[in-house]
Amino acid sequence: MAVTRLLGGERHLIQTVDKKLILTTHRVIMRQNNWLFRSYQSVMLEDITSWQIKATGKPLYLAFSVVSAFFVYFNDVFALLSGFFLMLYLMTRQHRIHIEAPHTTMVLPIEDVEENRLNSMIELVRQAKRERVETLRQQAEKQPIIFETEHKKCA
């Protein structure tokens, strides 16, 4: 398993072969490798509001296509360049899972995966979320939260 610090009572459920995505009993963790640093992004399962499969591409190619389309006014060669960048944008579009939480959106780096496998991944997250919410509900029933303020202590 990947080396990540787990919370108390948390355990691994599943992870991808390349160890970029980890599903635990408490959260979804995504590992990102930058040039020099390794970083982790995680979302608690109970904070997930929605998830969906979207086709996303590199918007920089689309921007280059639009900008070069404006330069067609000066030279017709820019029409070919605009078409080239538009084709690059369309070729880099891939289906990815977007997990949305109140303060973040996590785009899962799943490439070259069939749509039915993406749906099974979403189902695994959905099932883990159900189990986590049920566990939290049971813990809340066993141990009620008591709020006490300074005002009540003085009275």
Side-chain angles (χ1 to χ4, degrees):
M1 292 286 169
V3 179
T4 55
R5 292 191 176 120
L6 298 178
L7 304 173
E10 185 177 23
R11 56 188 171 79
H12 286 93
L13 294 178
I14 192 170
Q15 78 177 18
T16 57
V17 176
D18 57 1
K19 298 180 182 177
K20 288 185 178 180
L21 183 65
I22 304 164
L23 176 63
T24 68
T25 55
H26 291 50
R27 57 195 168 148
V28 176
I29 305 169
M30 182 175 63
R31 187 179 84 177
Q32 298 171 333
N33 288 331
N34 296 336
W35 286 76
L36 298 173
F37 303 106
R38 192 180 312 171
S39 64
Y40 293 93
Q41 181 184 11
S42 65
V43 173
M44 297 297 287
L45 290 175
E46 61 268 16
D47 292 340
I48 295 174
T49 56
S50 68
W51 47 81
Q52 53 191 335
I53 299 174
K54 289 183 183 177
T56 56
K58 302 214 183 278
L60 185 63
Y61 293 144
L62 188 60
F64 282 153
S65 175
V66 170
V67 168
S68 59
F70 286 125
F71 283 107
V72 169
Y73 177 74
F74 299 111
N75 193 343
D76 291 339
V77 175
F78 285 103
L80 292 173
L81 192 61
S82 176
F84 172 73
F85 282 121
L86 182 62
M87 290 305 295
L88 276 178
Y89 173 74
L90 293 174
M91 289 171 51
T92 59
R93 289 176 54 95
Q94 297 176 345
H95 291 289
R96 296 175 189 247
I97 299 175
H98 292 246
I99 296 179
E100 297 176 5
H103 301 290
T104 186
T105 299
M106 184 184 290
V107 180
L108 302 183
I110 298 176
E111 300 168 357
D112 301 329
V113 178
E114 298 171 5
E115 183 120 6
N116 61 351
R117 294 195 187 251
L118 290 177
N119 289 330
S120 66
M121 177 67 183
I122 289 177
E123 188 57 39
L124 284 172
V125 173
R126 186 177 292 157
Q127 181 181 0
K129 179 183 176 183
R130 253 183 277 140
E131 290 172 2
R132 173 71 176 151
V133 169
E134 185 61 33
T135 303
L136 289 175
R137 187 176 296 129
Q138 289 174 359
Q139 287 176 356
E141 289 174 359
K142 289 180 184 176
Q143 183 176 337
I145 300 173
I146 299 172
F147 293 102
E148 187 173 312
T149 62
E150 292 295 323
H151 183 330
K152 287 186 178 181
K153 286 183 181 177
C154 295

